[in-house]
Amino acid sequence: MNSTALIAEDEPLLAQALKAELAAAWPGLQVLATAGDGRSAVREALRLLPQVLFFDIRMPGLDGLGAAAELADRWPADEAPMPQLVFVTAYDEYAARAFETQAIDYVLKPVQPERLRKTVLRLQQALAAQQQAKPAPAAAADEALERTLAQWRQVLAAAAGNGASASPAASTAPLKMIAASEAGGSTVRMVPIGEVLYFEAADKYIRVLTATHEYLIRTPLKQLLAQLDPETFWQVHRAVVVRSSAIEAVHRDEAGKLHLDLRGRTEKIPVSRLYGHLFRAM
Amino acid sequence: MSVEALPRFRAENVRGMLRHGLITVVFCCFIAAALAITQHGDWGAQMVYSLSIGLISWLFIDVGRLLISGHREILWPSSGPWGYLLVAGGVTVGFLGGNAIGDAWTHQPLLDFGSFTERKLATTIIITVTATVCMCFFFYSLGRSKHMRRQIDLAQRNATEARLKLLETQLEPHMLFNTLANLRVLITADPPRAVAMLDRLNNYLRMTLSGSRALAHPLSAEFERLADYLELMSVRMGERLRYTLDLPDELRGTPVPPLLLQPLVENSIRHGLEPKVEGGQIAVRARKDAGRLVIEVSDTGVGLDAAQTSEGSGFGLEQVRERLATVYGDQGRMNLAAGPSGGTLATLSFPLPPRP
């Protein structure tokens, strides 16, 4: 049986090499496309719906982690099962160590045939398991999707955690006050963390929202997350972190997407598929 | 430095004080011996007078200086009259207290200086004052040199750390491993290109590992090393990186600090072109302008504003600024601005050395 794959790698020679190595290790695999950056990787994956993704972690535009997180949200799970995800990295010793324990795989560049063969074996087994689940009732398919999502979540968290601990600027002390500028103003306000209902990353900024006001900060979300108490603030989306105690209700729309209502705010907060498990009814 | 970090009477300070005390005792014994011999006086009495005066002065001054300056590195009052007042106080208290104890020991009327001959009184005072001032100066110098040594150690440590960090940024593992991965591909696919790339890598590594030790090399060598680096990067990035190096012949021999431009070009790639999907161009240009050498590194990357939010910038620039300041003082300048067609423009300038 033929399987399909997509390679996302910004260094052309390395993309070619991975393709050649894969051809040798897995003759039955058809590489549908090679993308040179994160955005086009997401675009191509959604167009071609491959079964396996080889994502370089460092890519221009959107890195491998970001691309995977976006795909998890936008993947049409009713059309094709979630793909198997393999990260490719030249040097990420901590991430690599974290991946060792995960179900999904990583490949270290330069790709060694021996190592790649092991990865291929794991992928083939995973795809075979997926194949068996396919004709099963919807409940089993849901279960398979949830399993894949759980794997992705673990891998993304492991890799992102590595990034956060690698930057020395990230402090682990819990944040009490946030120095934020008022939207459109030049004043910097001290906002007590207790008033914040949610954070939303937008472009270069993070919007800080309280019941009555909106402020802006320039800290990357990854760095901010490291300073927030994970019990109090939950990440529910690639770009959104909410105060858990402010969540009033969770809605599912016609497309099956989850939204949150917050006490004190009127807008709907999107929930990423990756974090849907937080809101499964007990 | 906070009070907690340097408590006045921490063990190290108390040890220092006791050491001073011991030296004082030895010194007092010498004085007593000298006086006993020259004045044919009573050894025991001279000892008691001398030790009492010395130890009281020592205790007064040493405790006093800790109380006044206990928070600092050099344990001596640094400003105003406090140092002198402390010594004067120590001399007075030591002189009066020591004489009182000595008088009690020898059963003489207490502090009855009237019975002294003028010469004897003057001698006692002069010896007390001279000895105390000498001891104070000696201890002060001792503390100061210890402090200086500590400062030198610290400076050396900082310098080593900075060099290691420079090396680390230049031999960044991602750069190295990705280059090796590319090399591995080329070895089978295109051996002549692999050899060329290996030579570039060789040059680059040699320069990075040894370059920070030499003080200067010709600008042409600096440009060759940039070419090595950019060629390595363009093998990796493929069509996403284009570069031009422009060095007029007359400037080829100009001595410059090695690897001065490297951090700027690295910044252009890492913070300018790498994040940009379609890649772009880097141009390095050297020119002469009114007796000064001007070097411009420009790129068509994502630009300063976007680059500021990416992590890890700053060290390279700081490095360049520091090196300019060390070599050229006020005369070296670096300016970072938005490029004319987007991207970033870094401009370095410093005086051209006079022609031999």
Side-chain angles (χ1 to χ4, degrees), chain B residues 185-204:
Chain B
V185 175
L186 283 180
I187 285 172
T188 47
D190 190 347
R193 224 174 132 207
V195 172
M197 191 181 187
L198 191 57
D199 290 343
R200 298 278 188 183
L201 181 62
N202 197 13
N203 286 341
Y204 174 77

Side-chain angles (χ1 to χ4, degrees), chain A residues 9-14 16-17 21 36-37 39-40 58-62 89-92 109-113 163 167 204 218 220 222-223, chain B residues 172-175 177-186 189 193 197 235-240 270 273-277 305-306 308-309 311:
Chain A
E9 162 70 65
D10 63 323
E11 304 199 17
L13 273 175
L14 299 186
Q16 263 176 42
E21 295 284 1
D37 65 276
R39 298 238 169 266
S40 52
R58 276 204 183 181
M59 282 190 293
L62 185 65
T89 170
Y91 179 84
D92 262 290
K109 292 188 272 189
V111 180
Q112 317 254 336
S167 87
K204 294 175 210 160
R218 291 193 72 154
K222 204 204 278 178
Q223 209 172 315
Chain B
E172 197 233 351
H174 260 106
M175 139 90 192
F177 284 106
N178 269 314
T179 305
L180 289 174
N182 274 286
L183 199 53
R184 185 173 180 280
V185 175
L186 283 180
R193 224 174 132 207
M197 191 181 187
V235 171
R236 289 184 42 200
M237 294 171 68
E239 287 168 5
R240 292 182 56 236
R270 200 179 309 162
L273 298 189
E274 263 183 0
K276 194 167 175 175
V277 170
D305 208 35
Q308 264 168 7
T309 51
E311 304 158 42

Side-chain angles (χ1 to χ4, degrees), chain A residues 29-192:
Chain A
L29 184 77
Q30 189 193 353
V31 177
L32 299 176
T34 310
D37 65 276
R39 298 238 169 266
S40 52
V42 171
R43 205 170 47 237
E44 291 295 286
L46 289 175
R47 188 170 68 87
L48 301 165
L49 302 181
Q51 292 169 292
V52 186
L53 303 174
F54 291 91
F55 273 15
D56 185 12
I57 290 188
R58 276 204 183 181
M59 282 190 293
L62 185 65
D63 68 5
L65 306 173
E70 192 167 325
L71 263 188
D73 265 356
R74 294 174 56 190
W75 191 266
D78 40 354
E79 284 176 45
M82 285 279 289
Q84 298 296 313
L85 177 62
V86 179
F87 278 124
V88 185
T89 170
Y91 179 84
D92 262 290
E93 50 173 351
Y94 302 105
R97 216 175 296 146
F99 289 148
E100 295 275 19
T101 59
Q102 308 299 333
I104 319 181
D105 221 337
Y106 76 97
V107 187
L108 216 51
K109 292 188 272 189
V111 180
Q112 317 254 336
E114 282 296 297
R115 184 69 190 74
L116 190 63
R117 250 192 289 283
K118 274 188 200 160
T119 303
V120 164
L121 203 64
R122 281 202 208 181
L123 285 171
Q124 285 168 337
Q125 284 167 353
L127 287 180
Q130 219 171 45
Q131 211 67 32
Q132 281 172 353
K134 213 176 200 169
D142 267 359
E143 206 177 290
L145 171 67
E146 185 46 48
R147 248 202 321 275
T148 315
L149 281 173
Q151 286 179 337
W152 279 44
R153 201 157 47 231
Q154 278 181 341
V155 173
L156 287 174
N162 157 55
S165 65
S167 87
S171 91
T172 44
L175 211 56
K176 296 220 169 60
M177 297 290 277
I178 298 176
S181 45
E182 277 183 323
S186 54
T187 318
V188 170
R189 295 263 169 210
M190 296 307 290
V191 185

Side-chain angles (χ1 to χ4, degrees), chain B residues 29-52:
Chain B
C29 290
F30 274 116
I31 293 178
L35 285 176
I37 292 169
T38 51
Q39 296 176 352
H40 309 287
D42 178 6
W43 278 75
Q46 291 293 1
M47 258 332 168
V48 172
Y49 276 108
S50 180
L51 279 177
S52 314

Side-chain angles (χ1 to χ4, degrees), chain B residues 8-227:
Chain B
R8 288 151 202 261
F9 293 102
R10 60 183 170 161
E12 188 196 329
N13 292 350
V14 173
R15 260 203 308 279
M17 259 181 71
L18 291 179
R19 203 175 304 128
H20 292 174
L22 215 66
I23 298 174
T24 309
V25 168
V26 173
F27 199 67
C28 289
C29 290
F30 274 116
I31 293 178
L35 285 176
I37 292 169
T38 51
Q39 296 176 352
H40 309 287
D42 178 6
W43 278 75
Q46 291 293 1
M47 258 332 168
V48 172
Y49 276 108
S50 180
L51 279 177
S52 314
I53 296 174
L55 287 177
I56 290 174
S57 296
W58 157 71
L59 209 61
F60 183 91
I61 295 174
D62 241 1
V63 172
R65 84 191 159 92
L66 271 186
L67 288 179
I68 295 175
S69 60
H71 304 191
R72 280 191 298 273
E73 278 290 305
I74 304 183
L75 293 169
W76 190 256
S78 55
S79 60
W82 283 108
Y84 300 104
L85 283 179
L86 198 62
V87 175
V91 170
T92 315
V93 173
F95 184 76
L96 294 178
N99 270 306
I101 294 176
D103 288 346
W105 175 268
T106 51
H107 306 293
Q108 290 189 14
L110 201 63
L111 296 180
D112 180 16
F113 296 117
S115 70
F116 276 47
T117 60
E118 226 169 79
R119 198 175 144 261
K120 197 178 169 198
L121 183 65
T123 315
T124 317
I125 292 176
I126 286 171
I127 288 176
T128 307
V129 170
T130 316
T132 312
V133 169
C134 282
M135 301 285 299
C136 283
F137 185 72
F138 175 59
F139 293 147
Y140 171 73
S141 309
L142 217 63
R144 213 179 134 77
S145 78
K146 209 164 93 186
H147 172 71
M148 297 288 259
R149 207 161 40 239
R150 223 179 277 163
Q151 295 288 91
I152 291 171
D153 281 353
L154 192 72
Q156 265 167 356
R157 222 173 17 243
N158 285 346
T160 315
E161 226 163 71
R163 260 189 40 191
L164 275 179
K165 214 169 160 199
L166 177 67
L167 196 64
E168 202 180 271
T169 40
Q170 256 143 18
L171 291 185
E172 197 233 351
H174 260 106
M175 139 90 192
L176 207 56
F177 284 106
N178 269 314
T179 305
L180 289 174
N182 274 286
L183 199 53
R184 185 173 180 280
V185 175
L186 283 180
I187 285 172
T188 47
D190 190 347
R193 224 174 132 207
V195 172
M197 191 181 187
L198 191 57
D199 290 343
R200 298 278 188 183
L201 181 62
N202 197 13
N203 286 341
Y204 174 77
L205 287 180
R206 183 176 302 129
M207 193 59 210
T208 306
L209 290 171
S210 71
S212 35
R213 267 175 246 145
L215 283 175
H217 68 174
L219 190 54
S220 58
E222 180 76 3
F223 267 63
E224 276 161 33
R225 296 296 78 82
L226 288 184

